Amino acid sequence: MNETRSAGTGGDTGIGMGGSLPTVTARAHANIALVKYWGKRDSKLNLPAQGSLSLTLAALTTTTTVHFDAGLARDHLVLDGQVETGKAAARLSAWLDLVRASAGISLAAEVVSANDFPTASGLASSASAYAALALAASRAAGLILDARALSVLARRGSGSAARSIHGGFVRMQAGTQPDGSDAWAEPVTGGPGEPGSDAEWPLRMIIAVVGGGLVKEHASRDAMEHCAETSPLYAGWLACVPGDLVRAEQAIRARDLDDLGQVAEANALAMHAAAMASRPAVVYWQPPTLACMQAVRALRKRGLAAYFTMDAGPHVKVLVHARDASEVAAAMGAVPGVTSVISSAVGAGAEVISEVIG
Ligand code: PMV
């Protein structure tokens, strides 16, 4: 795997002193894009067509434990207490092969992962999942990767996961290299220094869960490719991203919530317009999704700085200042069809929470 560099400890195989590999648990938070990733320049390497920009969220967490075990005949994945055997398990094994190749091992892995929010519902579970996995699996295989290499590895599992390696506001580079070595994420320069500390710019994301967080209809991976192939609006979507990225970064550096919110809203609507124009159409919205957008506009009319964004699902995420969070959460909770509301502070980057040797 030539894109992933190892700073290396414990040699190429990473076998510990006792001859076996450690069991590593890592945690990562989901992120919500304010300038979306929607379209690839290479689907095999999962390379984005354009950059993107996100906010990491403290309230949406995946915790994952990985152990490469000589006693296992094949990879074993337990997700939210359920043994997975289908597509998710096959996708995970193909991704684990990248880690095994990089570490020079051939052992199967036990992966136990849990989300504290609904999985595969458009709440960005693949972002936190593959970010936590990249950290836990690389360490469990004996590799110590720097943040850039971790981001590249996470990206191979899910494009948005590259961003969840970091906390706060994160910018993803599309890169130009065919091998993807320059398609990685990093914190936004000049962004608030301490994610989650609230010291500098206390923001919240209010998540209005629509329809109980059921599994989404169109996986983002397939839907964005279908959109690129069939939507007459896809080219227009791609063309608006570079300018939106510049404007979003300027707004972050200026701590200008209104400007950041306006560009985030416009960008989300452009992404969904391109998706809806696909043939056949990809429509993620449900009636409560539109009602939430209307409720956000009504809050703005009353003078609140509140701005919405939506991803590959019906839920609406609203960016607000911390002082307005409870009022906005109550307004979202009052929209018929909203089944729960999550209020999240800004989250930190992926971290190892335990490493047990032997
Ligand atoms: O990382 P993926 O393949 O699940 O794609 C994420 C797509 C969006 O959530 C809609 C946008 C984004 O940038 O996160």
Side-chain angles (χ1 to χ4, degrees):
M1 183 184 173
N2 56 9
E3 320 172 69
T4 302
R5 294 170 298 123
S6 164
T9 59
D12 280 343
T13 61
I15 306 282
M17 301 273 281
S20 61
L21 289 162
T23 299
V24 180
T25 302
R27 173 170 57 207
H29 301 293
N31 67 79
I32 300 297
L34 301 175
V35 178
K36 307 291 183 193
Y37 151 56
W38 191 255
K40 302 181 200 283
R41 67 180 168 92
D42 181 313
S43 52
K44 187 163 175 285
L45 293 175
N46 219 14
L47 297 175
Q50 294 280 17
S52 56
L53 187 146
S54 60
L55 186 62
T56 302
L57 298 186
L60 307 180
T61 309
T62 300
T63 305
T64 300
T65 301
V66 180
H67 180 56
F68 288 93
D69 188 341
L72 286 175
R74 63 181 67 85
D75 296 325
H76 190 238
L77 168 63
V78 181
L79 181 56
D80 288 333
Q82 302 264 77
V83 177
E84 294 277 331
T85 50
K87 236 173 147 183
R91 184 175 157 194
L92 172 75
S93 283
W95 181 90
L96 284 170
D97 286 344
L98 301 171
V99 178
R100 283 187 276 259
S102 187
I105 60 173
S106 55
L107 302 174
E110 164 100 57
V111 175
V112 179
S113 189
N115 291 326
D116 66 356
F117 59 96
T119 301
S121 62
L123 282 182
S125 60
S126 67
S128 50
Y130 274 95
L133 252 174
L135 187 52
S138 60
R139 284 284 268 267
L143 299 166
I144 302 286
L145 304 182
D146 62 19
R148 175 173 171 165
L150 274 174
S151 179
V152 165
L153 179 60
R155 190 205 75 227
R156 293 292 299 268
S158 160
S160 54
R163 300 185 308 237
S164 274
I165 296 299
H166 299 285
F169 286 105
V170 180
R171 168 204 316 132
M172 175 78 194
Q173 319 276 2
T176 54
Q177 296 297 320
D179 69 354
S181 53
D182 56 352
W184 51 289
E186 61 186 340
V188 171
T189 334
E194 289 283 301
S197 75
D198 276 357
E200 239 195 299
W201 199 19
L203 296 177
R204 295 288 181 273
M205 192 73 94
I206 309 299
I207 301 165
V209 178
V210 168
L214 298 173
V215 172
K216 65 192 176 196
E217 210 182 321
H218 309 279
S220 47
R221 171 176 291 248
D222 303 331
M224 67 175 79
E225 292 199 37
H226 171 65
C227 177
E229 281 160 15
T230 67
S231 174
L233 302 190
Y234 180 69
W237 151 250
L238 284 187
C240 79
V241 174
D244 287 354
L245 284 170
V246 170
R247 191 173 150 198
E249 287 207 27
Q250 276 167 357
I252 291 165
R253 282 195 284 274
R255 311 290 187 263
D256 185 336
L257 176 55
D258 289 303
D259 210 35
L260 181 60
Q262 279 165 20
V263 73
E265 245 185 54
N267 185 271
L269 291 170
M271 181 208 111
H272 282 272
M276 283 183 209
S278 303
R279 299 169 187 207
V282 173
V283 182
Y284 288 112
W285 300 352
Q286 290 174 15
T289 313
L290 281 158
C292 285
M293 291 185 225
Q294 225 161 6
V296 170
R297 288 194 198 99
L299 287 167
R300 277 215 294 277
K301 278 211 172 116
R302 287 178 27 215
L304 262 82
Y307 295 90
F308 59 75
T309 184
M310 295 80 55
D311 292 285
H315 321 301
V316 178
K317 294 103 179 193
V318 189
L319 184 66
V320 296
H321 193 280
R323 68 173 165 261
D324 299 327
S326 37
E327 193 175 344
V328 174
M332 292 299 109
V335 173
V338 170
T339 50
S340 63
V341 177
I342 302 166
S343 177
S344 182
V346 178
E351 58 191 337
V352 170
I353 51 178
S354 92
E355 183 156 8
V356 180
I357 310 291

